[in-house]
Amino acid sequence: MKITIADLLEPLARAGEVVVFTGAGLSADSGIPTFRDGSTGLWANIDPEEVASIEGFENNPDKVWAWHESMRSLFAEVQPNTGHEGIAALEALLPNARVTVITQNIDGLHQAAGSTRVLEIHGSVLRIRCHRHCGFVEHWLAGHAAPRRCPSCGAPARPDVVWFGEALDQDVFSLAAQATLDADVFFTVGTSAIVQPAASLAMAAKEYGALLIEVNPYETPFSVHADYAVRSGASEFFPALWKDLSKIVGEPGGQNASKRVD
Ligand code: NAD
């Protein structure tokens, strides 16, 4: 039997681990096109193999840098939306829970909104690193030219983004997998849930007993597995959830607010 939004509130209020798994749709209302937005998408007139793969980087690093620089400058102009903010606000509203954000996004908007535990399984275009993994990682500041060589070992430097065909960072993915297995409530938000292995996390959460909630205006291959499918944008849903939930657990710092008992 499918549940309703009112049924989410008690499980959330009781949860010890809440996971919010996010994709490009969450940032759509901030003005960042999603992957599969047709003619307006970031990938509309571009061959992903040329700009987001190791082969593309080795064949034409200037083209790869230019494409990432254009994303970097787009991201520098946008702000988190009420979806990012509502997710970040869950931390204060649920002080007894650990709220883990697992994101496929590379735009840094969760941290900008105030989320404190963010696992970026596809990396971030706000950082650069050594292509040879010597340990060099640095913030890529807006408006600053990134070094093309690693200052530590001289190998090529590159955006700290996971490209097509590349393995995910194992340390980050292990943390994501652990949070998934521990999850009492698992939201999948703004993702078409077809990019693997990231999408397999949501299935694992369900198998390990989490309540699974999909937030997406459109149906996805994943919808049939969700306990509750929210057919609205994330920027409408999370503020509404926050409002309803705060009536049960009390506003942060308010008289009825729940407190962590250590
Ligand atoms: P996707 O583009 O494949 O799917 C986006 C999903 O978001 C769709 O199912 C769509 O229906 C839904 N959506 C659209 N507007 C929404 C809204 N307002 N609220 C909630 N959902 C909404 O994205 P994906 O599944 O994340 O896979 C794309 C890959 O591309 C990811 O690996 C990601 O790293 C990368 N990417 C990242 C960004 C970013 O960092 N902002 C942007 C584009 C692509």
Side-chain angles (χ1 to χ4, degrees), residues 21-30 32-37 41-43 67 71 75 81 84 103-109 121-123 125 161-162 164 188-195 198 214-221 230 232-236:
F21 174 61
T22 65
L26 173 63
S27 297
D29 286 342
S30 291
I32 301 177
T34 65
F35 189 32
R36 281 158 244 278
D37 253 350
L42 276 174
W43 309 87
W67 189 75
M71 273 207 286
F75 294 176
N81 62 53
H84 299 98
T103 189
Q104 300 170 91
N105 294 342
I106 55 174
D107 53 29
L109 290 180
I121 57 175
H122 290 171
V125 83
V161 168
V162 178
F164 289 102
T188 162
V189 183
T191 174
S192 51
I194 52 180
V195 179
E214 176 181 65
V215 183
N216 195 314
Y218 304 103
E219 203 162 305
T220 74
V230 180
S232 73
S235 57
E236 292 102 55

Side-chain angles (χ1 to χ4, degrees), residues 43 64 143 175 204 243:
W43 309 87
V64 173
L175 291 171
K243 210 168 144 204

